[in-house]
Amino acid sequence: MRAKYFMAVNRNGVYTSVIMLLAVLLYFSYLGKTPIYILDEAKNAQCAREMFDRSDWVVPTFNQELRTDKPPFHYYCMMTAFKLFGVNEFSARFFSAIFGLLTLLITYYFVRKHLGQKKAFMAVLVLLSSLHFTFEMRLAVPDPYLIFLLSACLFSIFTFIQTEKNKFLWFTYIAMGLGILCKGPLAVLLPGLIVFVYLIVTKDLSFKRILSFKPLLGLFVVLIISLPWYLAVDKATNGAWVKGFLLNHNVHRFTDVKEGHGGFFGLTTLYILIGFLPFSVFIVQIIKKSISNWANPFIKFSVVTVLTFWLFFTVSDTQLPNYPMPAYPFMALLIGNYLFDVISGIAKGSFQIPLMVYLIITLVLPMGIYLALKNEPPLARFTYLAIPFLVLPISACITRLLWSRNQIMGIAVMSGAFILTSFIFFSFIYPKVYSQNPVVKSLGLIQTGRPVVAFKKYNPGYNFYLNHPIKRFTDVDSLRRFIELHPNCVLITREGTLADLKSIKNIQIVFSGKDLFEKPVTVLLTTTASYETNNHSN
């Protein structure tokens, strides 16, 4: 008995070590190498920086204007990292990677508790193989924090239902409270809806069951954690932050298309299928396996969780790839549950169709990346960066050769190929590509001390690297008056607005660069006299 115990402990230590090693490799390697350029990263990182510079833990601002997009939890984490490591790209993303690692560990812990050690490791391997999941854990955005908190909340509440141990109830409500500080009411709404549906499905919905959750205690814990900041920001902004957040970034995101992020009805499904490559090629088999294991409470709860997230964001008018991601650990355990049956020889039937789909996808992917680079003018000379993605079709061929004789090795090759590709992509290819963005390429043209202004839309990455407010104009007359008073200013705008600026004399373009993989062209202008003086001095 004792020998078996120590063998189990040793295996658990090996699995945990492998998980942590791969997570560090994927989430932390060259984390600060890619510039802050993506709109969400730029706004979140700069908002945290402005709060950090003011030592302000209450009012979020971007460009010294109130930012109502998100509550402050991720800002607090970034501010802490700025204090530890200085203000830079690595610091802005550091705690995203930390929460990515924590998500893997809690997934492993709870799946091991309910389904066993090997299935737990398979579930985590699925997450590590996901390019989408790895990408999200390397961004300076609130989603890695929310994914962890909602996963912790849902894993804990299910475990409480199964065990009646109060410590898991405490974990649930603490995660909910922090979730409200991370993303708002969604952190209570979705877990509450999932538990409600699960209790209906299991015919366990009753007044007695509801009371077992100690809802008054839960409300107290959630409010103690989240309410003080909401009251403070409401008072500091005269209600403007709470109104803007609840209406514009909660109700309107669900009922209207925000910031152009709409799409067709099946877009959320497509996001999930792409996000879980390579193993989503087995989606039909995974669904069948989950149905056959419906009697297992943990499988049932996971199916309810995935379907709730999928349906909720399918009917939402605003659709983004990151929206259904809090359900990813539960989708991963369903996939891991199926893969365990494959390597155990339990899963029978033909694998020819999914393996053929896998081969086709991996053949198309390098070609698609090659064409994307070739047709993007700033990146046309980097088409050779598609070569490392040939690892994927090569791995698909090896998988097909191995599958009939050794399915464990087949799955290992599939997973290993995507993990290796993720490492190469995020450590070398992605930083090289995004260093060609117009913000980085034009920063050298903006001299210290010169006023920098913007007309209508511009890339917020400028704020992070210049670290001072950029006065933004929306009408030409006000801009003209400003330029007359500050003839040495630099104007940032987009090519589409140049027709509006024809009435302003003596300004000329000093830089023009297309935004990567997007239509807008960033343009820098300055007065002719200022430009000639600068060239003469150089």
Side-chain angles (χ1 to χ4, degrees):
M1 179 70 74
R2 183 173 295 181
K4 289 183 178 180
Y5 169 78
F6 282 113
M7 286 177 64
V9 170
N10 288 336
R11 282 197 300 271
N12 181 51
V14 170
Y15 286 141
T16 305
S17 297
V18 171
I19 291 168
M20 294 187 70
L21 178 64
L22 291 175
V24 169
L25 185 72
L26 291 177
Y27 301 163
F28 291 90
S29 296
Y30 301 97
L31 189 60
K33 194 174 179 180
T34 305
I36 296 287
Y37 166 69
I38 296 175
L39 184 145
D40 286 345
E41 272 206 299
K43 287 193 171 183
N44 283 295
Q46 179 60 19
C47 181
R49 183 179 195 166
E50 291 181 15
M51 295 176 73
F52 176 73
D53 288 342
R54 298 194 310 267
S55 297
D56 183 352
W57 294 80
V58 177
V59 181
T61 61
F62 171 77
N63 202 28
Q64 303 304 328
E65 296 176 355
L66 183 65
R67 185 168 197 253
T68 61
D69 293 50
K70 299 293 184 295
F73 184 78
H74 67 298
Y75 301 141
Y76 291 168
C77 291
M78 290 184 198
M79 292 164 71
T80 302
F82 290 157
K83 182 70 174 177
L84 292 173
F85 310 116
V87 179
N88 52 54
E89 297 90 343
F90 174 84
S91 299
R93 299 168 179 142
F94 175 75
F95 277 102
S96 294
I98 290 290
F99 277 89
L101 171 59
L102 291 176
T103 302
L104 297 180
L105 292 177
I106 64 161
T107 301
Y108 177 71
Y109 171 79
F110 280 103
V111 178
R112 185 188 67 185
K113 184 177 184 69
H114 296 291
L115 294 181
Q117 197 169 65
K118 292 181 180 179
K119 290 184 178 182
F121 183 72
M122 294 300 296
V124 174
L125 197 64
V126 170
L127 291 176
L128 286 166
S129 304
S130 168
L131 280 161
H132 186 201
F133 193 80
T134 299
F135 181 60
E136 202 67 31
M137 300 308 159
R138 296 178 62 96
L139 292 178
V141 293
D143 300 283
Y145 308 85
L146 183 70
I147 292 166
F148 169 77
L149 292 170
L150 285 185
S151 298
C153 172
L154 289 165
F155 280 132
S156 296
I157 194 65
F158 171 79
T159 307
F160 170 76
I161 292 171
Q162 293 298 110
T163 66
E164 298 288 341
K165 292 183 178 179
N166 286 329
K167 67 178 182 179
F168 293 107
L169 204 55
W170 281 98
F171 294 156
T172 298
Y173 292 131
I174 290 171
M176 274 189 181
L178 292 175
I180 292 175
L181 281 179
C182 181
K183 201 87 169 187
L186 197 71
V188 174
L189 174 63
L190 280 174
L193 180 61
I194 288 165
V195 171
F196 180 74
V197 172
Y198 177 72
L199 293 179
I200 291 176
V201 168
T202 56
K203 300 179 181 179
D204 193 24
L205 182 63
S206 66
F207 187 67
K208 181 180 179 181
R209 167 52 81 185
I210 293 172
L211 288 180
S212 74
F213 295 126
K214 300 179 177 59
L216 293 180
L217 173 64
L219 180 63
F220 176 76
V221 172
V222 168
L223 292 180
I224 281 292
I225 293 171
S226 61
L227 189 59
W229 178 80
Y230 278 86
L231 293 176
V233 77
D234 188 69
K235 181 179 179 181
T237 62
N238 293 318
W241 190 94
V242 173
K243 181 180 178 181
F245 174 66
L246 292 179
L247 288 179
N248 291 334
H249 297 287
N250 282 270
V251 176
H252 291 169
R253 276 188 182 273
F254 189 79
T255 59
D256 301 303
V257 175
K258 295 288 288 184
E259 299 167 354
H261 297 305
F264 66 96
F265 185 76
L267 193 57
T268 296
T269 304
L270 190 62
Y271 286 149
I272 294 172
L273 291 176
I274 294 173
F276 274 103
L277 287 173
F279 298 115
S280 57
V281 297
F282 299 111
I283 187 62
V284 174
Q285 291 89 339
I286 292 163
I287 292 171
K288 289 180 179 179
K289 174 62 180 176
S290 300
I291 293 172
S292 69
N293 282 169
W294 184 248
N296 184 301
F298 197 40
I299 298 296
K300 189 178 297 184
F301 184 82
S302 299
V303 170
V304 169
T305 298
V306 171
L307 289 179
T308 302
F309 272 94
W310 169 76
L311 183 60
F312 186 88
F313 290 111
T314 293
V315 301
S316 171
D317 282 339
T318 302
Q319 297 192 26
L320 284 168
N322 54 293
Y323 279 1
M325 288 190 75
Y328 272 29
F330 296 89
M331 184 67 184
L333 76 86
L334 294 176
I335 297 173
N337 184 54
Y338 167 73
L339 293 178
F340 178 79
D341 276 7
V342 172
I343 64 176
S344 301
I346 299 172
K348 303 295 183 181
S350 174
F351 297 96
Q352 293 304 312
I353 293 177
L355 291 178
M356 180 59 69
V357 170
Y358 176 55
L359 178 59
I360 293 170
I361 290 172
T362 56
L363 284 170
V364 169
L365 192 57
M367 291 187 290
I369 292 169
Y370 173 84
L371 292 174
L373 293 170
K374 184 179 180 180
N375 293 318
E376 189 70 10
L379 305 174
R381 68 184 188 277
F382 295 123
T383 52
Y384 65 89
L385 293 176
I387 293 173
F389 287 90
L390 293 175
V391 167
L392 298 178
I394 292 171
S395 76
C397 293
I398 295 172
T399 299
R400 284 181 62 83
L401 291 173
L402 289 174
W403 195 267
S404 60
R405 299 192 303 272
N406 193 330
Q407 292 171 350
I408 296 177
M409 286 302 299
I411 291 171
V413 169
M414 291 175 74
S415 177
F418 268 76
I419 289 173
L420 177 61
T421 302
S422 289
F423 175 73
I424 295 171
F425 177 72
F426 292 114
S427 298
F428 304 104
I429 298 174
Y430 185 63
K432 190 173 187 66
V433 166
Y434 271 82
S435 66
Q436 302 302 307
N437 75 74
V439 175
V440 170
K441 294 181 75 173
S442 65
L443 282 174
L445 299 172
I446 303 175
Q447 290 182 317
T448 304
R450 300 182 73 175
V452 180
V453 296
F455 181 61
K456 295 186 178 179
K457 292 184 178 181
Y458 72 99
N459 192 294
Y462 284 105
N463 290 86
F464 184 78
Y465 288 105
L466 297 175
N467 193 32
H468 60 69
I470 296 175
K471 187 174 178 64
R472 189 170 71 92
F473 294 90
T474 56
D475 68 281
V476 177
D477 292 337
S478 298
L479 176 61
R480 183 190 300 109
R481 289 192 292 269
F482 182 90
I483 291 176
E484 289 172 355
L485 294 173
H486 305 87
N488 67 329
C489 73
V490 176
L491 171 63
I492 307 171
T493 188
R494 289 181 174 176
E495 191 176 59
T497 68
L498 293 178
D500 299 331
L501 302 176
K502 287 182 178 179
S503 62
I504 302 179
K505 298 178 180 179
N506 299 322
I507 61 169
Q508 67 177 18
I509 297 172
V510 295
F511 173 83
S512 178
K514 183 181 177 297
D515 288 4
L516 300 182
F517 304 111
E518 295 183 23
K519 292 181 180 179
V521 176
T522 294
V523 177
L524 265 63
L525 304 97
T526 188
T527 62
T528 305
S530 172
Y531 180 70
E532 290 174 350
T533 300
N534 181 49
N535 280 349
H536 181 71
S537 64
N538 289 337

